Amino acid sequence: MKDYKLIAKTFAGLEDVLAKEVKRLGGKNVRRGKRAVFYEGDLEMIYRSNYYLRTALKVLKEIDHFQFKNVDQFYLKCKNIDWSKHLGLEDTFSIDSVVVNSRDFRNSMFASLKVKDAIADYFREKQGKRPNVDTDNPDLIINVHIFQNTCTISLDSSGESLHKRGYRIKQGDAPLNEVLAAGMIMLAGWYGNSDFMDPMCGSGTIAIEAAMIAQNIPAAKFRKEFAFQNWNDYDQLLWDKITEPTEKREYRYTIYASDISAGNLLNAQTNARRALVFNKIKFAVADFKDLPIEMHNGTIITNPPYGERLKSENLDSLYQMIGERLKHHYCGNEAWIISSAKESMKYIGLKPTSKQELFNGALECNFNKYEIFEGKRS
């Protein structure tokens, strides 16, 4: 099969994790970009990337890359692409554009409009008619990335963001993105080799992603649709082969998920059932300060409140409680905490052994690691 230039998009801070995933999957010439990983692979690699990659948001197939001097030249280069390879007159399309530091394009809407005009004129000249735009449910999603005077045009093979795994039907007020949750677990180096706990689990995303990682359940196992299924070279037999049921990897330890809110925990249990990992997670309604769970040589990863709905003094007290609980009840374990409340994180009272910057939505966060020892080493 022919190899293509591929781009997997991700969040800032997860590029190295994603690059390792792509290499394990068999991607060629893998290199790290900004919020992206560039690599090469055939049609099977495109399908496998969408199905297996836990830290990818989108998988794009590049169809052209060029430089331009002005808007007119940009339009002509777009029009010179052989669009009939990808689109038929009865197909619909949409264009998703990103513009960075461009003198010619002040906004992404203008870039999308010029590409649309180029596609329409290409088909009118060759066939007398043109395919229609459909922004709601297009057959083909075209991705346009302009940086200064360089343009990359790709086909979006994913459609909806790959964080939409298909298992989460219940969520709380501030749900954690599934790709971010998986990335945090993999940054922590946890792959099912010990006990695991999220003591502030919300709708259960971290614990569920951990259970899927531990048992090697594909990231998109429960997802129903991908954009590549509308491509004119879609290979149903190949897709069936990739998605054939495989035996789960045995997980010999325990995943704990608790939350102070009974409603949150009910949501988490519902989502865990949908992801077929309910029997691998022990759930409890409890305040972390009273949590009775005993754990040794395990990993704790949690996403506590950041302060949007708590006064600052209450937030400081919450983080102080987290630190005291870790120090006095969870010695011998490793804890990772993500938060944008960087001042309040100081109240944890433990010295982080590493810090990683991540983004939870638009919020810049620290993802801190704490190795919890007895006595003064804490």
Side-chain angles (χ1 to χ4, degrees):
M1 273 193 260
K2 177 183 176 183
D3 277 350
Y4 305 98
K5 292 182 179 180
L6 306 177
I7 308 157
K9 308 287 286 184
T10 191
F11 291 123
L14 298 184
E15 296 94 343
D16 288 339
V17 173
L18 177 55
K20 289 177 183 176
E21 279 200 277
V22 171
K23 287 177 182 176
R24 283 196 297 267
L25 209 57
K28 303 172 186 175
N29 301 320
V30 180
R31 59 188 178 90
R32 180 189 186 278
K34 186 176 181 181
R35 296 192 296 273
V37 170
F38 301 91
Y39 60 113
E40 295 173 13
D42 57 14
L43 197 62
E44 180 174 351
M45 177 56 62
I46 293 173
Y47 294 0
R48 288 169 59 81
S49 295
N50 278 281
Y51 194 58
Y52 286 105
L53 292 178
R54 301 185 191 279
T55 55
L57 295 164
K58 293 267 188 183
V59 178
L60 309 176
K61 182 181 84 169
E62 181 183 312
I63 60 171
D64 205 355
H65 179 82
F66 57 83
Q67 292 186 328
F68 58 92
K69 294 180 180 178
N70 51 48
V71 173
D72 289 340
Q73 190 180 57
F74 172 86
Y75 159 83
L76 288 173
K77 292 205 171 190
C78 290
K79 185 164 165 275
N80 285 336
I81 295 171
D82 186 356
W83 290 106
S84 61
K85 286 183 178 179
H86 315 291
L87 268 173
L89 286 175
E90 303 306 315
D91 295 327
T92 58
F93 69 96
S94 68
I95 300 168
D96 178 23
S97 296
V98 176
V99 174
V100 181
N101 296 337
S102 174
R103 178 194 63 202
D104 298 292
F105 292 95
R106 300 300 182 188
N107 60 69
S108 59
M109 288 183 63
F110 182 45
S112 294
L113 179 63
K114 298 309 290 185
V115 178
K116 178 189 75 70
D117 289 346
I119 294 171
D121 292 345
Y122 169 91
F123 278 99
R124 280 199 194 99
E125 288 181 12
K126 291 186 177 297
Q127 302 188 40
K129 297 194 325 185
R130 49 154 289 187
N132 292 321
V133 171
D134 183 346
T135 56
D136 295 324
N137 189 30
D139 295 311
L140 192 74
I141 304 169
I142 300 162
N143 183 278
V144 179
H145 188 276
I146 297 171
F147 176 70
Q148 296 178 349
N149 67 331
T150 300
C151 177
T152 302
I153 297 183
S154 308
L155 303 185
D156 181 345
S157 72
S158 305
E160 281 197 309
S161 171
L162 292 173
H163 84 272
K164 295 185 177 181
R165 309 282 206 225
Y167 65 73
R168 187 162 72 181
I169 55 174
K170 299 285 187 178
Q171 61 187 42
D173 294 332
L176 194 70
N177 183 291
E178 291 87 337
V179 162
L180 179 58
M184 288 160 51
I185 295 165
M186 295 163 81
L187 279 170
W190 190 88
Y191 289 90
N193 49 331
S194 67
D195 287 341
F196 184 96
M197 181 170 71
D198 180 0
M200 299 178 180
C201 72
S203 57
T205 307
I206 293 175
I208 292 168
E209 290 291 324
M212 292 178 70
I213 288 170
Q215 297 177 91
N216 202 31
I217 299 172
K221 180 177 176 62
F222 307 104
R223 185 175 161 123
K224 302 299 183 187
E225 293 180 337
F226 300 87
F228 64 74
Q229 290 171 314
N230 291 322
W231 291 1
N232 55 21
D233 62 352
Y234 175 54
D235 187 334
Q236 181 68 54
L237 291 176
L238 178 60
W239 179 240
D240 290 343
K241 176 186 172 185
I242 289 169
T243 58
E244 282 179 357
T246 56
E247 190 173 340
K248 291 181 184 177
R249 184 167 59 203
E250 186 177 359
Y251 176 59
R252 301 173 182 274
Y253 301 92
T254 305
I255 295 171
Y256 302 97
S258 62
D259 199 275
I260 195 171
S261 163
N264 281 348
L265 204 77
L266 184 61
N267 290 342
Q269 290 172 319
T270 300
N271 294 333
R273 286 190 181 93
R274 290 266 298 182
L276 304 181
V277 296
F278 180 80
N279 65 335
K280 292 297 179 183
I281 304 174
K282 289 191 175 180
F283 293 96
V285 177
D287 190 325
F288 186 29
K289 69 181 176 66
D290 302 316
L291 191 64
I293 294 168
E294 298 288 340
M295 198 171 81
H296 301 282
N297 299 317
T299 296
I300 300 165
I301 300 181
T302 197
N303 173 42
Y306 300 170
E308 290 84 357
R309 294 177 297 279
L310 283 177
K311 293 182 179 179
S312 59
E313 61 268 24
N314 293 338
L315 195 67
D316 294 344
S317 297
L318 171 66
Y319 281 71
Q320 184 176 7
M321 179 275 290
I322 292 171
E324 290 175 353
R325 190 64 175 162
L326 290 174
K327 184 175 181 179
H328 297 299
H329 198 73
Y330 290 101
C331 287
N333 296 283
E334 188 177 281
W336 296 74
I337 299 172
I338 186 171
S339 178
S340 68
K342 298 179 182 179
E343 288 301 312
S344 293
M345 289 186 89
K346 296 175 183 178
Y347 284 84
I348 290 174
L350 300 169
K351 185 177 180 180
T353 52
S354 73
K355 292 183 180 180
Q356 171 85 38
E357 283 195 357
L358 295 174
F359 281 84
N360 187 359
L363 296 173
E364 184 179 324
C365 298
N366 278 351
F367 184 46
N368 290 0
K369 174 186 178 181
Y370 303 91
E371 294 183 31
I372 311 161
F373 302 106
E374 300 278 359
K376 292 183 179 180
R377 290 187 72 187
S378 299

